[in-house]
Amino acid sequence: MGTRFFNRENIESNGTSPSRYDIDSEIGSGEYATYTVHIPVTPDNQPSPMAIQLERRASRRVEEQYTTNSIFTGGHNCVTRAHVMDKVIGTDSSHPQMAGAKGSVCAIQGCDAKIMSDERGEDLLPCECDFKICRDCHYDAVRTGDGICPGCKEPYKGEFDLAGVDDGRVLTLSSPVGVSKAGEFDQNGWLFETKGTYGYGNAIWPKEGAGGDGGNDNVGESSQLLSKQWRPLTRKLSIKAAILSPYRLLVLVRMVVLGLFLTWRIRNPNEDAMWLWGMSVVCEIWFAFSWVLDQLPKLCPINRYADLNVLKEKFETPNPRNPTGKSDLPGLDMFVSTADPEKEPPLVTANTILSILAADYPVEKLSCYVSDDGGALLTFEAMAEAASFANLWVPFCRKHDIEPRNPESYFNLKRDPYKNKVRPDFVKDRRRVKREYDEYKVRINGLPDSIRRRSDAYNAREEMKALKLQRQNKNEDEPLENVKVPKATWMADGTHWPGTWVVSGPEHSRGDHAGIIQVMLKPPSDEPLNGTSIDAIPIDLTEVDIRLPLLVYVSREKRLGYDHNKKAGAMNALVRASAIMSNGPFILNLDCDHYIYNSQALREGMCFMMDRGGDRLCYVQFPQRFEGIDPSDRYANHNTVFFDVNMRALDGIQGPMYVGTGCLFRRTALYGFDPPRSKEHHGCCSSSCCFGQRKKKPASVAHASEEEDSSSSQGLRETDDELSLSLLPKSFGNSSFLIDSIPVAEFQGRPLADHPSVKNGRQPGALTMAREPLDAVTVAEAISVISCWYEDKTEWGRRVGWIYGSVTEDVVTGYRMHNRGWRSVYCVTKRDAFRGTAPINLTDRLHQVLRWATGSVEIFFSRNNALLGSHRMKLLQKIAYLNVGIYPFTSIFLIVYCFLPALSLFSGEFIVQSLNVAFLTYLLGITITLCLLAVLEIKWSGIELEEWWRNEQFWLIGGTSAHLAAVLQGLLKVIAGIEISFTLTSKSAGDDLDDEFADLYLIRWTSLMIPPITIMITNLIGIAVGVTRTIYSEIPQWSRLLGGVFFSFWVLVHLYPFAKGLMGRRGRTPTIVFVWSGLIAITISLLWVAINPPSGSSDIGGSFQFP
């Protein structure tokens, strides 16, 4: 066990990196010195070619093993440390890729290092005598001991191939490019025109003049490749004209009817109640305006289809450029974010990670990064348990084609698990894996208690040591003082946890701890690795690839006094760390409770990115699907109208919005670059067509002068190319590793140049090289880029990465990309791509809607308002984003309108002078067109009528509660500068194990419930008062009563799910029931008095006359 200290000054932007010996290996010392040992080459010191090759390969193998078994920590004003861990969790680790995997110890006296091992984790013994020796001792024996084995004292025989790792290719930087004629540094030109740039990744760069751009550059391509019939990876499926044409016609008809109705309402005021008429007209005008904003972007819905067979044929089938048929798909980095293990159970997060590790995507191209923003040891050890169980779960899924690949969801399936399974050992394997999974769940559920007991034991030991030391240093007659030992949280190897302690301490609290990176599963070997019969696994895996994707635990540094920008800041930290460690050109982010339900979803998303024109796609958004929702979907938790109607319609314009999870990003789009050929695409519906063309400006990372803050508009304006390149750290930070990786990621993300029409493509077979192994210097650099100070004076969060300044950072981030001219795609798979959980409790649901609506208000009052969008965004897309910022303000008018029926009943007046034929005709026309539009939306979107109706109900519930609070909070932030804070939505289930939907019946009081309750009570009392007044009036106004009662009934029907939620579980009687019972009793009493009046009364009710 030991600790390395990395000097940050050696990992700077000068392009050099420290050797593995630039380390002070003294343990426990606060002072350290950096030194480098240089052994000059002399005539007496000439290494042999075999020794040089042995040194290179062995060094990589051992460095990677060291990196995997170390936990890296560091941050602001502190040194980066790599602490070797003997074990990560209490149980033994058997998989060779697993951090802390068991290995033999070197037999050389005085050396306790682990011996060399192969991809399976088996010992590598260089001598026939099987003497166990580590890499350093073996190197000394070869170089200084004349090649004599320390065990048998005989010379080593033959060449010992340790790793079989191909030597990496170092790519030199070509002459700088990307300076515009105006002298402004064009970062897009630098990105898309660079021919060969040093960086990280697995790419074969095209030769000078070879086909890198498609078109005429493909002359040198194989004639066999170009003569083959070209097939697209995706197809666009239009909605049937028999449905879409009437739909568009009805939209036009309803707009005309609304216009005529509002005109009639304005010209025919109610002279008896002008105040009532005025409020109603203003509300109705706003409702019509809001409906138009919502409806116009729905005019162009489309469906899409991805062909996985063509993807396999193009990227994983032998061809002249790729004779072996090795996967040519680009790398993919998966992000999973979690922040609080109490509200986001570690078992849920761990199962999400298992579904990622088992996804049907090339293992060597897939990486998974887990962001623990709480820095909790509980999450860390849960991830280690998941990595250990993946050794069994992932090969089991591959062997038997398991779906879904989340073990909890799979073992809880209500359908027959043996359907379509033909292997005779499936029943036995499933039974054994189920038993292992039950034990795995028990271990994770027992982690909190295990960590507590372990920490208490170690803290008691430290207190005893401190007390003993105090007794030794004091005289016998001096009284002993109370020993104060910090209540630390301890890891499984007996060392302090560098993150958040259970009992918070200095530099170990939720908002104050060091940055942490732990490689849980090291990068897999490049070739398939089948299991063996001797593996300690309860199922036969001799024909199954047992490799696992790269898995990395990341907890960014947090310090007091820094704004860490919540989830957006955590995502940006993952973007930087992943760029240095794996640099996948595509990124897919998931919430911790959203798992992969369709193992081929990643391939379907990649079809769009790799298709012709896919280089202009910034992201592929998948719909969100939820589990654990009550069958009636009382609070519209499935949100199908938004995901299946609005998002599908936006796909026909410029693309769907980014909704926070289940989104496949292009890395360079997140970096803030403009799309390639951005000046060639404006679209027939762009705002420039309608409002004129703005003066064009040179392309840059983003149009700072149009939509960014003025400080970033200075740009990179240097005439000297090298000076311009040196200014890139102003946008991305001072990490040369990160900057060098950007062009590589862009090149790897290009579609194949397999057709003359494919522009900005790459050669087939360019991504078949092996990935370089991780080393300690790379992980140390990753530690530096997740430090809290790294983003200072950079564009991270303003133009680069996830955008800061809003609680709905997802919408803003997607808006910025669309505003730069990028397109997005909506990928609706036949089998749901991802599934997650949603709050079914009324209070949690209202708080969730409050958070979304507050973010929309922030967007409206910020520079991200669609009214300030650039000319590159299409007009209908602008309208959709404008609606996002405006819809919460509808709550003001909606609440007023919900009180109008009661006010009408109280006053005896109505919003119109009388229920004449014109008013009823307009009302009937508006209602019929709305119903017909709903029917046609159901037809082309595939949703159900009940789902549409639930959405309408919750629109009113949310509009009268959470949306109004969001408007007030947004105004307070804009006017008074009061920041808004929200708590995480709990992902844990209810305490009632017998009822799956126990949370549905829980009643947690919140002030958001006050407006809807007031509206319901007011309308009920208004009905009672209106009926009583009409019955006992000398000249009853039945038409006004009917109008008021009808609209009151319309309000109450929409609020019925809210009222039902207040009732709680059947069989229990909350207080609200008694309130309702009293109101109903009063109403019935009044009606009984009207039907059977007291003696002496006559002519009650007069005569009923309908106009």
Side-chain angles (χ1 to χ4, degrees), residues 30-42:
E31 299 178 357
Y32 64 96
T34 301
Y35 64 91
T36 305
V37 178
H38 297 282
I39 302 178
V41 178
T42 65

Side-chain angles (χ1 to χ4, degrees), residues 603-659:
R603 291 178 175 268
E604 293 203 33
M606 203 60 66
C607 285
F608 295 99
M609 290 294 191
M610 292 291 100
D611 204 6
R612 179 176 56 184
D615 58 334
R616 291 182 50 79
L617 293 181
C618 55
Y619 59 82
V620 176
Q621 178 66 60
F622 294 86
Q624 292 186 21
R625 307 300 187 201
F626 302 102
E627 294 178 333
I629 306 298
D630 55 295
S632 63
D633 193 12
R634 179 184 295 176
Y635 306 124
N637 287 281
H638 284 298
N639 215 357
T640 51
V641 172
F642 175 76
F643 287 114
D644 290 327
V645 179
N646 298 71
M647 296 285 277
R648 198 189 300 261
L650 287 175
D651 197 15
I653 307 172
Q654 196 173 342
M657 302 174 186
Y658 168 44
V659 293

Side-chain angles (χ1 to χ4, degrees), residues 583-846:
N583 198 30
F586 298 101
I587 294 171
L588 195 150
N589 78 297
L590 291 174
D591 289 343
C592 65
D593 61 325
H594 277 70
Y595 67 92
I596 298 180
Y597 188 75
N598 179 358
S599 63
Q600 292 191 325
L602 307 183
R603 291 178 175 268
E604 293 203 33
M606 203 60 66
C607 285
F608 295 99
M609 290 294 191
M610 292 291 100
D611 204 6
R612 179 176 56 184
D615 58 334
R616 291 182 50 79
L617 293 181
C618 55
Y619 59 82
V620 176
Q621 178 66 60
F622 294 86
Q624 292 186 21
R625 307 300 187 201
F626 302 102
E627 294 178 333
I629 306 298
D630 55 295
S632 63
D633 193 12
R634 179 184 295 176
Y635 306 124
N637 287 281
H638 284 298
N639 215 357
T640 51
V641 172
F642 175 76
F643 287 114
D644 290 327
V645 179
N646 298 71
M647 296 285 277
R648 198 189 300 261
L650 287 175
D651 197 15
I653 307 172
Q654 196 173 342
M657 302 174 186
Y658 168 44
V659 293
T661 184
C663 188
L664 176 65
F665 283 100
R666 183 178 299 276
R667 185 180 285 271
T668 51
L670 276 173
Y671 285 156
F673 290 98
D674 293 338
R677 309 179 304 281
S678 57
K679 297 181 181 180
E680 302 174 10
H681 295 79
H682 295 295
C684 60
C685 294
S686 64
S687 58
S688 60
C689 299
C690 302
F691 305 108
Q693 184 80 18
R694 299 184 185 179
K695 183 178 179 180
K696 292 185 179 179
K697 300 182 180 181
S700 61
V701 175
H703 292 275
S705 60
E706 293 178 354
E707 72 246 31
E708 318 293 348
D709 49 316
S710 59
S711 62
S712 61
S713 64
Q714 300 296 326
L716 301 174
R717 300 180 181 179
E718 296 288 343
T719 56
D720 186 3
D721 297 352
E722 294 182 359
L723 289 177
S724 298
L725 288 173
S726 68
L727 290 177
L728 284 171
K730 290 188 176 180
S731 292
F732 301 101
N734 62 356
S735 172
S736 61
F737 286 58
L738 174 61
I739 294 174
D740 291 340
S741 71
I742 295 174
V744 180
E746 188 280 327
F747 175 78
Q748 294 179 12
R750 297 180 183 180
L752 288 183
D754 58 349
H755 191 271
S757 63
V758 177
K759 299 180 180 180
N760 195 43
R762 62 171 173 86
Q763 293 177 339
L767 304 185
T768 56
M769 289 184 64
R771 177 162 52 185
E772 295 183 1
L774 281 177
D775 56 23
V777 173
T778 301
V779 183
E781 179 69 10
I783 280 286
S784 71
V785 299
I786 65 171
S787 300
C788 58
W789 55 266
Y790 185 82
E791 295 182 352
D792 291 349
K793 298 180 181 179
T794 67
E795 298 298 335
W796 285 98
R798 291 191 292 172
R799 292 190 299 177
V800 180
W802 270 259
I803 306 301
Y804 301 155
S806 174
V807 295
T808 53
E809 73 288 332
D810 46 2
V811 177
V812 177
T813 302
Y815 166 80
R816 291 289 185 90
M817 296 181 185
H818 285 140
N819 204 32
R820 288 191 286 269
W822 289 95
R823 288 185 54 86
S824 59
V825 162
Y826 199 50
C827 181
V828 182
T829 56
K830 185 175 181 180
R831 176 185 175 88
D832 293 345
F834 310 101
R835 282 193 177 181
T837 59
I840 61 175
N841 178 262
L842 176 60
T843 305
D844 292 339
R845 175 66 166 145
L846 290 178

Side-chain angles (χ1 to χ4, degrees), residues 464 603 696 919 999:
M464 295 296 295
R603 291 178 175 268
K696 292 185 179 179
F919 176 78
D999 273 357

